[in-house]
């Protein structure tokens, strides 16, 4: 596998938080001597530097397809990172204390993607069991402990503080009804004649155009004339002529100013 040295150096010294960091004693490949190095764990890559102030790593170990186990060595608190294969190299490291050794062994055991894949598979099986069992509580995984640093998709979401209960809104006051002007009372009562009030028509009615005069009344025919025994068609014609004449007179009186 080819790696870009510049990209690795930038990733090793970037400002992103690390999974673990500290001094370890590393046994050399050809010599039995141990050298004190500054180790930085980021994801599945274990970088080691000359000291904590170095800006360029001396080497990197890709933690894929490996196992971390305790070993007996000349140095106390020693453990080994073993890879499968006959020609694969075994890295022997030693911590400065028991707590530091346990922390490094746990962190390195959880750094590979194979471990994360097993954790995801275990969680999927538990989720399927919960959905099939009718909404039981999700048990915590016991066979595989969760890693210290998980991807953002698997990291537990911190519980946010619950929002305060909303204050019940009070009913708003009804809108004021606009006051209507009251009718003014007359300053003085009208005069009375024989106990009845007499209202003046001058202030109430205003002069205007006079209406046209009503049409003249038709004179009543004689009760016993020559038309009493006439047929209906003749009566209709006779009275129709009189009505048309009267209507014409009335219309002509309306047209004239």
């Amino acid at each position: 596998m080819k790696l870009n040295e510049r990209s690795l150096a930038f990733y090793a010294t970037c400002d992103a938080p690390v999974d673990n960091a500290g001094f370890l004693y590393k046994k050399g490949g050809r010599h039995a001597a141990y050298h004190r190095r500054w180790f930085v764990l980021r994801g599945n890559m274990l970088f080691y530097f000359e000291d904590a102030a170095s800006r360029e790593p001396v080497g990197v170990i890709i933690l894929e397809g490996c196992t971390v186990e305790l070993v007996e060595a000349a140095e106390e608190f020693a453990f080994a990172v073993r890879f499968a294969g006959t020609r694969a190299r075994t890295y022997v490291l030693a911590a400065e204390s028991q707590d530091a050794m346990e922390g490094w062994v746990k962190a390195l055991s959880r750094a590979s993607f194979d471990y994360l894949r097993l954790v995801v598979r275990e969680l999927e099986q538990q989720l399927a069991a919960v959905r099939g069992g009718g909404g039981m509580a999700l048990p915590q995984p016991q066979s595989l402990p969760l890693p210290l640093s998980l991807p953002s998709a698997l990291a537990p979401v911190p519980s946010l503080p619950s929002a305060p209960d909303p204050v019940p809104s009070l009913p708003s006051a009804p809108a004021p009804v606009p006051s209507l002007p009251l009718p003014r009372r007359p300053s003085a009562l009208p005069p009375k004649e024989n106990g009845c009030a007499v209202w003046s028509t001058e202030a109430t009615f205003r002069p205007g155009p006079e209406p046209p005069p009503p049409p003249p009344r038709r004179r009543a025919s004689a009760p016993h004339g020559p038309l009493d025994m006439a047929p209906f068609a003749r009566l209709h014609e006779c009275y129709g002529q009189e009505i048309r004449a009267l209507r014409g007179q009335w219309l002509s009186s309306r047209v004239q100013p």
Side-chain angles (χ1 to χ4, degrees):
M1 180 175 60
K2 296 182 180 180
L3 297 176
N4 191 323
E5 295 183 1
R6 292 184 179 180
S7 299
L8 285 179
F10 175 79
Y11 180 61
T13 58
C14 65
D15 297 333
V18 300
D19 297 325
N20 203 358
F23 282 104
L24 292 175
Y25 292 94
K26 176 180 174 296
K27 184 178 181 180
R30 298 181 181 180
H31 307 283
Y34 284 85
H35 301 279
R36 192 169 184 261
R37 297 287 185 259
W38 177 257
F39 282 79
V40 175
L41 176 62
R42 291 181 182 274
N44 63 342
M45 293 185 179
L46 181 62
F47 300 93
Y48 53 95
F49 303 79
E50 289 286 347
D51 52 32
S54 299
R55 302 299 300 172
E56 228 177 283
V58 178
V60 60
I61 304 174
I62 309 298
L63 301 174
E64 291 297 337
C66 63
T67 57
V68 183
E69 57 188 27
L70 302 179
V71 294
E72 294 183 359
E75 291 288 337
E76 195 176 6
F77 312 120
F79 58 94
V81 180
R82 300 183 184 276
F83 291 87
T86 55
R87 298 183 179 181
R89 180 181 174 181
T90 299
Y91 295 89
V92 180
L93 307 174
E96 295 180 346
S97 64
Q98 180 71 22
D99 295 339
M101 180 193 67
E102 293 178 359
W104 275 108
V105 170
K106 290 180 181 179
L108 297 177
S109 301
R110 300 170 178 178
S112 65
F113 285 105
D114 292 336
Y115 176 83
L116 295 180
R117 193 177 297 110
L118 293 176
V119 171
V120 172
R121 188 179 305 170
E122 181 74 14
L123 293 177
E124 289 178 350
Q125 293 177 359
Q126 293 181 7
L127 181 60
V130 169
R131 289 178 176 177
M136 299 174 58
L138 182 64
Q140 295 293 335
Q142 300 179 359
S143 59
L144 295 174
L146 289 176
L148 295 179
S149 61
L150 290 177
S152 59
L154 300 177
V157 179
S159 59
L160 298 177
S162 58
D165 297 334
V167 180
S169 60
L170 298 177
S172 59
V177 180
S179 59
L180 298 177
L182 297 176
R184 298 181 60 184
R185 300 181 61 182
S187 58
L189 296 176
K192 296 183 178 181
E193 292 182 2
N194 299 327
C196 299
V198 179
W199 297 93
S200 176
T201 58
E202 295 180 358
T204 306
F205 301 100
R206 295 181 180 180
E210 296 182 358
R217 290 188 175 183
R218 182 179 61 85
R219 297 180 179 178
S221 59
H224 299 285
L227 297 178
D228 292 339
M229 302 303 295
F232 177 77
R234 184 179 176 187
L235 291 175
H236 185 274
E237 181 65 23
C238 182
Y239 287 111
Q241 292 177 1
E242 186 177 0
I243 292 174
R244 282 195 297 269
L246 295 175
R247 186 173 182 276
Q249 294 177 5
W250 180 71
L251 290 177
S252 62
S253 65
R254 290 191 59 184
V255 173
Q256 293 177 1

